[in-house]
């Protein structure tokens, strides 16, 4: 499956952005979908994950209450709504697809996705 992320940009602290990730080659209803982010010089960090039917969502603690992951399988697309953005949210954001099924937060955060998209840069100015 090929993944194409978009929607990044420059925003002031406190603002909002909505990232999109559209898949091609395979339909995403067979995958759990995730967002990760990476700052130069640091490891890629888990941000959010949504299960196949959207019944479970998982977030890293630093974005809980501010970010929301969602999916539209008819459009083969997932989203990451990011509100109340902070300077520390600045990173390259990546979407990913995983055939593995997860049931608990620790499991979701540790799972290594099978497919990755290219990143989209999010810059939050303070």
């Amino acid at each position: 499956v090929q993944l194409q992320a978009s929607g990044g940009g420059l925003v002031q602290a406190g603002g909002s952005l909505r990232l999109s990730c559209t898949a091609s080659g395979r339909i995403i209803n067979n995958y759990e979908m995730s967002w990760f982010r990476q700052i130069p010089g640091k490891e890629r960090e888990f941000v959010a994950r949504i299960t196949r039917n959207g019944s479970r969502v998982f977030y890293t603690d630093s974005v809980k209450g501010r970010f929301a992951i969602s999916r539209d399988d008819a459009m083969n697309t997932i989203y990451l709504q990011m509100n109340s953005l902070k300077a520390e949210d600045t990173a390259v954001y990546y979407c990913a697809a995983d055939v593995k099924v997860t049931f608990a937060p620790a499991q979701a955060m540790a799972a290594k996705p099978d497919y990755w998209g290219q990143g989209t840069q999010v810059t939050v100015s303070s």
Side-chain angles (χ1 to χ4, degrees), residues 9-75:
L10 174 64
V11 63
Q12 288 189 331
S16 298
L17 278 176
R18 188 196 196 201
L19 305 184
S20 300
C21 174
T22 300
S24 60
R26 299 276 178 91
I27 52 176
I28 65 169
N29 62 359
N30 293 320
Y31 299 90
E32 295 195 0
M33 304 296 293
S34 301
W35 288 97
F36 287 74
R37 63 188 180 187
Q38 189 170 23
I39 301 169
K42 292 194 173 183
E43 290 190 359
R44 199 167 293 188
E45 173 192 34
F46 169 84
V47 176
R49 184 177 178 111
I50 186 167
T51 55
R52 292 180 186 183
N53 59 4
S55 62
R56 294 185 300 277
V57 294
F58 306 100
Y59 298 97
T60 191
D61 285 347
S62 63
V63 308
K64 284 180 181 177
R66 300 188 298 122
F67 289 13
I69 187 171
S70 62
R71 63 190 297 157
D72 184 343
D73 288 357
M75 297 295 292

Side-chain angles (χ1 to χ4, degrees), residues 56-121:
R56 294 185 300 277
V57 294
F58 306 100
Y59 298 97
T60 191
D61 285 347
S62 63
V63 308
K64 284 180 181 177
R66 300 188 298 122
F67 289 13
I69 187 171
S70 62
R71 63 190 297 157
D72 184 343
D73 288 357
M75 297 295 292
N76 232 27
T77 299
I78 67 165
Y79 305 96
L80 186 67
Q81 178 67 44
M82 305 187 295
N83 300 324
S84 302
L85 281 161
K86 304 175 181 180
E88 50 263 43
D89 295 319
T90 296
V92 178
Y93 283 71
Y94 298 88
C95 57
D98 195 351
V99 297
K100 296 182 287 295
V101 177
T102 57
F103 297 94
Q107 184 185 21
M109 294 178 69
K112 302 301 181 186
D114 298 305
Y115 303 96
W116 293 91
Q118 95 299 346
T120 184
Q121 175 71 46

